[in-house]
Amino acid sequence: MTIPGSLIQRLAAAQRVTVLTGSGVSAESGVPTFRDAQTGLWAKYKPEELATPTAFRRNPRLVWEWYAWRRKIVAEAKPNPAHFALVELARIAPKFHLITQNVDGLHQRAGSEKVIELHGNITRTKCFDEDTIISKWSDTGDVLPKCPHCGGLLRPDVVWFEEPLPESEISLAQQASGSCDVFLSIGTSTVVYPAAALPFLALKSGAIVVEINPQPTPLTEKAQFVLSGAAGAVLPELLASLESSISSRK
Ligand code: BV8
């Protein structure tokens, strides 16, 4: 894919770059996206029916096993060229913010720092009742581990539907989206709020918005640049064009 020269110019001149990623950025690492047909055992459930406190109260074992299955996939996954390209972009942009909806921690494993995790992280576990992070618990062999402090059930440290996002993360994300020169929305279906509002906030505040996604989304017709392709292919190409444009100016 050829990256438009006008986009490279905008990026090279940008002082503040903000990126929002969704599960599409981890697709090439082998982590299923959120709304792809759930493979295997989970084909018959909709993620929205598993990723809620109601689902957990109703059937904690099912929800816990769904997350154990996803945690195993994430543990075996490796960051892909899309993740590494964003580490590179952070080195180039004078001011850079990386906001992710993903819970897989692959940005951090690729070397990204100060990642704004809007929806938590599947590798962390917390007590359902006390909301405190629990790093170790006695393995009684029971599928459902218990909190060592209060005996309550443990759950993944992720934000479920109907749960509020962490205040500090969402306000930092809104601030970074409302005050950037270029906003890149990568690998997200742009349907889950309040994260999905961020690209539109960037648009409203005058940023140039770039969408990278093989499929159209509610953002596509409003973005100034739409790169319809896989993040693992498009982002390295974008960075290569950006770096050659910057070095040709030196
Ligand atoms: C809340 C963690 C309020 C769990 C997730 C308006 C305002 C506020 C809320 C709402 C609202 N309208 C509706 C709501 C409620 C709800 C919501 O948005 N529902 C949707 C379904 C309509 N929002 C909430 O409940 C949020 N909470 O607002 O609370 C509140 C306030 C005070 C007090 C109480 C309550 C909480 C939302 C967070 C839910 N948790 N994840 C877990 O992971 O198990 S969301 C989940 O969806 C994931 O985090 C995922 O990242 C996120 C978004 O999905 P995507 O990342 O976009 O993934 P998806 O599969 O959809 O799309 C993948 C895309 O990648 C596709 O476009 C595909 O084409 C593309 N792609 C594929 N391959 C590639 C690629 N792109 C590039 N390269 C590739 N190779």
Side-chain angles (χ1 to χ4, degrees), residues 23 28 34-35 67 70 119 159 162-163 188-189 193 213:
S23 57
E28 288 147 280
F34 213 78
R35 276 162 199 78
Y67 281 94
R70 289 175 59 191
H119 296 158
V159 179
E162 306 146 28
E163 289 187 325
T188 178
S189 57
Y193 283 82
N213 193 323

Side-chain angles (χ1 to χ4, degrees), residues 21-28 32-36 47-48 50-51 66-67 70 80 82 100-103 118-120 122 156 158-165 186-196 211-217 229-233:
T21 62
S23 57
V25 97
S26 299
E28 288 147 280
T33 62
F34 213 78
R35 276 162 199 78
D36 271 353
E48 284 85 2
L50 289 166
W66 183 53
Y67 281 94
R70 289 175 59 191
N80 72 64
T100 190
Q101 300 170 86
N102 299 343
V103 296
L118 293 180
H119 296 158
I122 199 170
V158 297
V159 179
W160 279 332
F161 290 98
E162 306 146 28
E163 289 187 325
L165 276 60
I186 308 169
T188 178
S189 57
T190 325
V191 294
V192 174
Y193 283 82
E211 180 173 60
I212 300 175
N213 193 323
Q215 300 294 329
T217 77

Side-chain angles (χ1 to χ4, degrees), residues 56 64 124-135 137 145-157:
F56 185 73
W64 181 263
R124 290 193 302 265
T125 297
K126 67 181 182 180
C127 173
F128 185 76
D129 298 327
E130 298 171 315
D131 212 29
T132 44
I133 297 294
I134 305 290
S135 42
W137 55 87
K146 301 285 186 320
C147 171
H149 307 145
C150 72
L153 290 176
L154 297 185
R155 58 165 284 181
D157 182 27

